[in-house]
Amino acid sequence: MYVRLDERYRVTLTLNGRERSAYAEPRTQLCDFLRHSLGATGTHVGCEHGVCGACTVMVDGRATRSCLMLAVQVEGRRVETIESLAKEGEMGDLQRAFREHHALQCGFCTAGILMSCHEFLGRVTDPSEAEVRDMLSGHLCRCTGYTGIVQAVLAVARARQNNRQEAP
Amino acid sequence: MNSAAPLHHQQSRSYVGKRQPRVEDEALLRGLGRYADDLAVPPGTLHAAVVRSPHAHARIQRVAIEAALQIPGVRGVLTGEDVKRWAAPFPVGVRQPMEHWCLAVDKVRYVGEPVAVIIAEDRYLAEDALESVEVEYDVLGVSIDPEMATNDDASVLHEAVGSNVVNDRYFNYGDADTAFEQAAHRLSLKVRYPRSACTPIECYVVLGQYDPAEGGYDVMANFQGPYAIHSVMARALQVPANRLRLRTPPDSGGSFGIKQGVFPYVVMMGLAARKVGAPVKWVEDRLEHLQGASSATNRVTTIEAAFASDGRVSALRFDQLDDCGAYLRAPEPATTYRMHGNVTGAYDIHHLQVRNRIVMTNKMPTGLNRGFGGPQVYFALERLMQRIAVTLDLDPLDVIRRNLVPTQAFPYRCSAGALLDSGDYRRGIELGVEQGGLEALRQRRESARREGRHYGIGYTVAVEPSISNMGYITMAQTPEERRRAGPKNGAVSTATISVDPLGSVSVHVSSTPQGQGHRTVAAQVVADVLGIPLESIRVDVELDTGKDAWSIASGNYSSRFAGAVAGAVHNAALKIRARLDAIAAQQWQVSVEDIRFGDGRIYTADGVHSTSFQRLAGATHWAPGTLPESETGGLRETAFWTPAELTAPDDDERINSSLCYGFIFDYCGVELDSLTGRVTIDRYVTLHDAGRMLNPQLVDGQVRGAFAQAVGAALYEAFHYNEDGSFASGTLADYLIPTTVEVPDPTILHMETPSPFTPLGAKGVGEGNNMSTPVCIANAVADALGDAVEPGAIELPLTPSKVRMLMGIEEPPRPEGVAEENAQASAGGGSKLSASDSVEIPASPQQVFASILDPDTLKAMIPGCHSLELTGDNAYRADVTVGVGMIRARFDARVELTELEPPHSLRLSGAGKSGMGDAAGAAKIRFSEIEGGKTRLDYDYEVTVGGKIASVGGRMLSSASKMLIGQIFSRLSQRLSGSTSKGSLWQRLRALTGKRGGDQ
Ligand code: FES
Ligand code: FES
């Protein structure tokens, strides 16, 4: 798509399973677009330069830093944010495990961490603690010291593993 | 239930003291949190971007905004001129003619200082326009290093003060001079604590509004308190406090003290809104945050102990130089005084002298940061305790044990005035040793060392103060100044509980949490007192100064929630219960003693009467006519609570700086990578006594969070400034916060010695590891590095490159037989240098001369000297480890004293061989008597090296030699001043400052 810098474009995407659209300038960051144009304020911004991981969302199924992407780049694509994790009003297993293991305090880093964990657990079914820590090393959390987060992810992986084994 | 049961109110279920998942979590996990930047803004809200100084120190000649105003979408620019017209400088905590405005008005004093505010239709446009503001600067010299900033020729930040030292206070408790005179040993250590900050992941957010009809400001900000700062903001805005309505959002993305520093922006955005006649919102970005938000205070400390041969310390001296940056921003210099009453830590030390100086430098102003004052004090104190152990060749833990406040002494009054409320420190150590597995850790160290690995163990004990006394800040003033200003003390906390007509319970606390789970704990407390399910209670933690109960101590700081705020919640719940008791007793014609609360019901102990909580409580709204005469109707109670123990500083300068004092005992094992210098924490054990734990899961969460931040402070994080004051840590790729792979999981142990002074027996727990962990890791690194490293060189953060430098290059094992050879200088063909220098020593030439001839002194003088054996007249054979740059080598050396002309001159020479090469050196030393019975030593020296050592190059060799020789004489000086107390440094200081200690 050819864009002019001083024009606004209507960007249409699938956000958390629903088609949504709004205007964006070519330079509008995806995180700002999600938060302020589409109202998905669950995604947070911690550094705007790609280090803290707070802004992580899924774009076409891949964990992506929404501060390093432009809104116009998601035209026609699928974006999932933290708001998608509760199904039919109930929190998912990952969210419940975070609560159980005290994996959050202020909760500001949590949205991005949940999205990375969500993607990871979809790929890796039986992770070691070292693998979990390695995956989480792209995120900064200033509150928890990470222990609860690591425990929560390992617990979900184990529980899903058990469920799979029990399933006929 | 037996009516004679000793407990008046039995509950069906109790929540306090149990692990309880947080009521906060579900909204946050669903992405439904409401943080400051998530809240709806009024229609027509504009957005701000801040023009900041690129210079560390400059006079502002002109601020030209015309070009910016031409840009479409820009609606206005706020400058220093507007600020001067509408506002006043912020009040300062010391009596000095220095001004701090929310925007620079005449000079800029640090890189990143706000100079103007662009107000535009969106944030992108506002940021675009930043470049179009033209500021002409007249660049001035800078003061960056705190010690250099105290020099007479330093560039002065605040000219009207005339010096960068803006406060200088001296305190004397007991009789330290005599204790030092009589002590068998003395040891002094100089350490530097760097700048870092706990950097929440959410930055500052402010929404300012101005109402010209009322002449008032309405500002929403993710401020965290203390609300004493509300007065500072109102004064700066020149309005009565009721014309500054300050509101906080429901959720905050972390703070750790840092969001106290948003207050200048509250004023700035209020004024910006006034300037453009519309609401103005500002969202700080990460660069702005790192360079300009807030920082912990960096400190240079010289600490000195007088002690006996068993390690028992009789007296301490602290000389603390605190670098608060470019402005003394409220509540500074609180960092300096937060620990004042308990500066002797967990130890029973009676004699104490403290000198505190506050210096201004061209760096961002400092402010609250988790641990506040604690890491700085413990870094000096606990490093010193480790050094005492090493010097006396004792186990560091034995030295710690011998000095602890004895168990039977609680409540214990420290020499500087803290009243340690409760504790059992000895038992804490025993528990920690047993349950944490110290013996196994020692074995790990032994086996690691056998394998030639660098492994060390460090220990720390600390007292963790919580619930600050608002009066400690006035310690920066003299008793006379305090008398004139009137007393300041206490720590008022508030909580309000209301019961609505349908009988549901709402709680409000003014503690402005940033993730600690205050809503959960407050609900636990209320559920227990009123016997209702926790889920039925709603806790509100937004604070609106226009509507809610608050006081100056409101806010989230000094770990005051568990002790003070939860206590106020408890008291408010008791008030509600007392009213319901009276209503039920009248209705049922029974005595109040018979009323019980539980399972959501109110009933009599004999089971005859029972009603639901909602119904009886609702009656206060629906049927006030049926209530006892004492009842006014409605059901809402506010409790204010302040502890009696928090009195103002007394005329002897004693201050109980906090209400509660928890106890921490930490130890850890670390390993240093000999290739990279990386420090790996192998095991970390941390024992806490925080009184009664209200929710153990949240307590552990606080400990883990503090620990992770402390690992950052110990190993990675520091704000770096270049020599010209430019800021070199502006992104999270430069300022390194530890991630999951750097933070190990500590072993957390608990004991509970309830505080007698708080309603629930709880003490604060959130800051302890920020205080204890950095020095514990440093002590372990020191242990791993061994004695050859100069103790003061162990500086945080212990980054790989720094540690690698300290480790040096290992020499290969000495080949068989080399030690037997005659070690003669054979360094021909290597590097050679000569230089001269001088040093002053506080003793007469005769004394100095005699002591150099004394073998014990000579051994103590030579850094890294393992043994010294007399081989002839003033000739010795020495086993010495010397480091030059990266190279560290162990020498078999000959040392000789020749050309003796007592007490005028002598020649000190040495030559040695090592696996890394040869070295020889000689110094001609001349002694001359100078004023005050002291001696000046002038020395010319020559050093020759060969082999690998020579490869370090001339410059490195010259600075290493200078340092080594400097160390020799400073060790001599220290040893000599240890036996002469007349004319001690402290007495000179006192004479110089003309200040007298409080008890004289
Ligand atoms: S905000 Fe995107 S990585 Fe920090
Ligand atoms: S929970 Fe606060 S930053 Fe992670």
Side-chain angles (χ1 to χ4, degrees), chain B residues 797-808:
Chain B
L798 289 158
T799 55
S801 59
K802 203 180 288 174
V803 172
R804 192 65 199 78
M805 277 305 264
L806 291 171
M807 288 171 81

Side-chain angles (χ1 to χ4, degrees), chain A residues 44-56 65-68, chain B residues 732:
Chain A
H44 297 146
V45 176
C47 69
E48 298 172 85
H49 56 250
V51 181
C52 75
C55 65
T56 305
R65 305 207 157 193
S66 62
C67 73
L68 296 185
Chain B
L732 293 180

Side-chain angles (χ1 to χ4, degrees), chain B residues 681 684 702-712 743-744 746 769-770 773:
Chain B
I681 302 167
Y684 199 101
Q702 286 301 307
V703 170
R704 291 205 169 95
F707 173 72
Q709 290 175 337
V711 167
V743 182
N769 288 87
N770 293 75
T773 297

